[in-house]
Amino acid sequence: MYSSDDPWYDALASGWGESDGTDVPEAASPVVGDVYLEVQRSAAFREVRSRYRRFVVPAVAVFLSWYVAYVVTATTAPALMARPVAGAMNVAMVAGLGQFLTTFLLTWAYARHARLRRDRAALELRWETQELTRVSRGGAS
């Protein structure tokens, strides 16, 4: 049924990707691991993480509060949510559409914040980490 031309033949023959121990990759050098620990402890990394948290934590708290308020109001005050706003539109529909609008605005704000406040610093950390890793593995600098 399976031939040697089948690229999945070896995987199927060895038990769907279960390793027999002969193809275990070499563990990363402890020196390489130290590079990542060094970068993680660096002031630049802490600053990138701090900028991320300063945006994400309040944004998530505000968005989840808005969502929970919508759900709680919809279940506990159906008369309020059924109140007409304009034509066939009621408070529930306006608030529901507001949820979509808030999602898109939050996505835009996150992407803008990342682009303006974190991307450059994170890219510099990435290049620094790659260079340190290459040097620690004995590659060209």
Side-chain angles (χ1 to χ4, degrees):
M1 180 171 171
Y2 297 107
S3 69
S4 59
D5 295 336
D6 183 1
W8 293 101
Y9 178 75
D10 291 335
L12 293 172
S14 66
W16 289 86
E18 294 175 6
S19 176
D20 60 359
T22 59
D23 59 345
V24 176
E26 293 181 23
S29 166
V31 176
V32 173
D34 291 342
V35 167
Y36 289 104
L37 289 173
E38 178 183 335
V39 170
Q40 185 179 10
R41 292 179 186 129
S42 71
F45 183 81
R46 285 195 308 267
E47 180 62 25
V48 170
R49 293 296 295 171
S50 175
R51 289 178 184 179
Y52 172 78
R53 287 185 185 120
R54 280 194 307 252
F55 179 84
V56 169
V57 171
V60 166
V62 168
F63 185 77
L64 286 178
S65 298
W66 160 229
Y67 176 73
V68 168
Y70 172 72
V71 171
V72 168
T73 305
T75 56
T76 60
L80 170 68
M81 297 300 266
R83 184 173 294 158
V85 174
M89 295 286 286
N90 60 18
V91 173
M93 291 178 74
V94 171
L97 292 172
Q99 290 286 320
F100 283 104
L101 178 64
T102 305
T103 301
F104 292 122
L105 287 174
L106 184 59
T107 302
W108 169 81
Y110 177 81
R112 182 176 186 275
H113 181 267
R115 185 180 69 248
L116 296 177
R117 307 247 192 279
R118 293 190 326 266
D119 284 354
R120 182 169 290 137
L123 185 60
E124 288 171 5
L125 275 171
R126 178 180 177 190
W127 288 119
E128 177 184 334
T129 304
Q130 287 179 351
E131 185 61 30
L132 290 171
T133 303
R134 185 175 338 154
V135 168
S136 70
R137 288 182 178 162
S141 55

